Amino acid sequence: MFRSIRNAIYSVYCIRDQFPRYMSDLLTEEEAMGALFAVRFRYVIGIALLASATANLSNIDTIWGYLVNYIAIGMYFLNTFVHLHILKQKDSRWKTKYDYISLFVDNVLITMTILNWYWIKGHGNPNFLVKTPLMVFYLLPLSLCLFQYRFSLVVFSFVCFLISYYSFIVLALHDPDAIASLDWYSYVLGDEIILSDALVSKPVIYLILAFAISYAIFRSLRMLLKFAASETQKTTLSRYFSPDLVSEIVSDPEVLGRGKRQKVTVLFSDIRGFTQFSELLDPEELSIFLTEFRRRMVRVIFQNKGSLDKFIGDAVMVTFGTPLPSIIPGEDSMNAVNAAKSMLEELKTWNEERKSIGQVEIRIGIGIHTGEVFCGSIGSEERMEYTVIGDTVNTASRIESACKQIGSPLIISELVWNEIGNPSEWVKNEGILLPGREQKINLYAIQNHF
């Protein structure tokens, strides 16, 4: 039992260790903003304390009463001003340190105020120190810790309270005028004190509040950690899947881990004459070219619900219907064909831009096939990759290669042509023997060569 409690406390107070470096830096920035807000909020508390002191002027009958209240409030505002000034400094090593100094000063001011009022109004009864309503002011520095994500501030403030409170009890026990009793009426409305209650009740209440504040900080940090992990996952997935698919995958992460056989439409694209073209560019220029080419192609692919499987040099492999196939028959093939047309349109626009600045035009070939594949995470424990494998993938790659033979930038298999409704804009090429295959197949080339 004690071990489980210890582990729970450890997990709460050590959650920051789970944060990656970039998130720790972000959390530090948020802590700084929280500290700044907390210090500014202290001015609101100070005004409330000033209003409370003014409302109790009728109960003050000595000059010392005025001095105790207003000097304490003045010191509170001075501490707040100094703290705010330090936080506004860009590179001050006192920023973190002064958080603790400020909490210590607050607790000392409350303690000194209680002692002074005991000397002024306590009539020599040390029980005043334990029963004074001013004890509630120790909650103020404790509650301000909630604005920052630091458990150490909560612990430090709580320890300061315990030291002050039990010092009052020790002082009361050593005073012969202290009156101990077991009568609740005399304890609540009289001068007597029930020692067992005084030793336990207030510290336990403050301890519960300290745990509540700590747990609130823990929940905030844990939620931040989960949110960051989710956003990181979304960012990673968005490089390979369209935004619509990313949302579905995030809602059911196991979909990527489950390997299965399913019907998928596969698109292959390749740049014509890339080898000769790349020889004319230095590595940096080639990198810039490929980055721009991929950016343009991926954008239109995602617009048509495609999933980027991989880049293979200048080639692009795209799947439609992964990881979740469409419930509408033929929609994945239709999306693939629309994506291919959009890629050719995008390439046409880019070529016009390239010609305007004296650069050569780019030509690509696209092949599309549909059929059953195995899709899932494949690889070793060190590196996993979500991909599709099967004869459908190989056939799609061979169809793309046939673009040179047929002389068309976009060719689809007969299965794809049937699924998109047998449109008349496609020219049938019968009996094409693809490399590595024994049987001839019919292919369809787009009439408009873009």
Side-chain angles (χ1 to χ4, degrees), residues 79-106:
N79 179 36
T80 303
F81 175 79
V82 172
H83 197 178
L84 183 61
H85 177 73
I86 291 175
L87 289 176
K88 286 184 176 180
Q89 302 299 315
K90 289 185 178 180
D91 300 311
S92 175
R93 60 189 180 91
W94 286 96
K95 282 186 177 182
T96 302
K97 295 178 181 178
Y98 203 84
D99 288 335
Y100 298 94
I101 295 174
S102 180
L103 282 176
F104 178 75
V105 170
D106 287 346

Side-chain angles (χ1 to χ4, degrees), residues 261 266 268 317 369 371-375 378 387-397 437:
R261 299 183 67 88
V266 183
F268 269 91
M317 176 180 170
H369 185 49
E372 190 177 72
V373 301
F374 173 85
C375 61
I378 301 172
T387 188
V388 298
I389 56 175
D391 182 66
T392 298
V393 179
N394 299 329
T395 302
S397 177
R437 299 187 66 88

Side-chain angles (χ1 to χ4, degrees), residues 236-253:
T236 302
L237 291 173
S238 64
R239 299 174 184 173
Y240 305 96
F241 300 99
S242 64
D244 293 338
L245 283 175
V246 168
S247 299
E248 293 185 38
I249 294 170
V250 170
S251 63
D252 184 16

